[in-house]
Amino acid sequence: MSASGSPRRPCVVVMGVSAVGKTTVARLLSEQLGVALGDADDLHPEANIAKMSAGVPLDDTDRRPWLEAVGRWLRERNDVGGVVACSALKRSYRDVLRSACPSVVFLHLSASRALLADRIGQRTDHFMPASLLDSQLAVLEPLGPRERGLVIDAAPAPDRIVRTAVDLLTRPRDQASG
């Protein structure tokens, strides 16, 4: 609860590999929760965008300043809530975000490789090429048992995913774990 007695709005990272629907789900989720929306893609340094656009995967050194920027975004909204779309593929990346905002909840959108490849093939407006999908899938580490988060199938329509997420995020903790 916040000081006013109303439930505290969560800080949520909508995570997963490229084309899983992070941005769409994050936008709808932020609207439903009445909190700010962020897109981690907007926080990438130009060098990262150039590298990915050229089909070169980012390494952990490339990602560190980007993750720290996402963490700052979350920390600034810790008391009022916010939703950010961010791949957060490795546990160590999520640790950076969690260190900036300990109350963060990760919403991992999960989908089959076939669905992801189909979605990437239909994109015309994104710097992430289809050639990097396999490298992202290889790097992806599922949420661990001590990580605060939810895994939701990304195949249904985005509004259905968001309804499920809101239900799980707003359920009292004793009911959510049981």
Side-chain angles (χ1 to χ4, degrees):
M1 292 264 185
S2 68
S4 67
S6 61
R8 184 176 183 174
R9 292 182 177 161
C11 281
V12 180
V13 173
V14 179
M15 62 166 281
V17 299
S18 186
V20 78
K22 295 182 297 291
T23 302
T24 300
V25 169
R27 181 179 46 78
L28 294 171
L29 184 59
S30 74
E31 290 170 4
Q32 284 291 311
L33 296 175
V35 298
L37 170 65
D39 192 332
D41 283 349
D42 296 338
L43 301 174
H44 268 296
E46 286 298 318
N48 285 9
I49 293 173
K51 206 171 179 181
M52 289 184 288
S53 295
V56 178
L58 300 179
D59 61 29
D60 289 354
T61 302
D62 298 322
R63 286 187 180 96
R64 185 70 190 203
W66 169 66
L67 290 165
E68 289 171 349
V70 177
R72 283 190 299 276
W73 189 94
L74 288 164
R75 184 175 49 245
E76 290 168 1
R77 288 152 185 85
N78 187 51
D79 292 333
V80 295
V83 177
V84 64
C86 177
S87 55
L89 298 177
K90 286 186 180 180
R91 196 165 296 113
S92 63
Y93 304 165
R94 297 187 296 270
D95 289 344
V96 172
L97 302 178
R98 217 178 350 266
S99 71
C101 183
S103 64
V104 70
V105 177
F106 294 94
L107 175 60
H108 177 190
L109 299 179
S110 180
S112 70
R113 186 194 183 291
L115 177 62
L116 296 167
D118 182 58
R119 287 181 178 177
I120 288 175
Q122 294 178 34
R123 281 183 164 179
T124 59
D125 61 345
H126 200 274
F127 59 81
M128 182 75 165
S131 61
L132 293 183
L133 176 58
D134 288 328
S135 70
Q136 283 203 334
L137 290 169
V139 168
L140 177 63
E141 295 175 358
L143 291 172
R146 293 191 177 150
E147 290 188 277
R148 200 166 161 214
L150 317 161
V151 179
I152 296 181
D153 181 10
D159 60 330
R160 186 168 156 211
I161 293 168
V162 170
R163 278 195 306 272
T164 300
V166 168
D167 179 53
L168 294 171
L169 287 167
T170 59
R171 186 180 299 169
R173 275 197 123 146
D174 58 334
Q175 290 179 10
S177 60

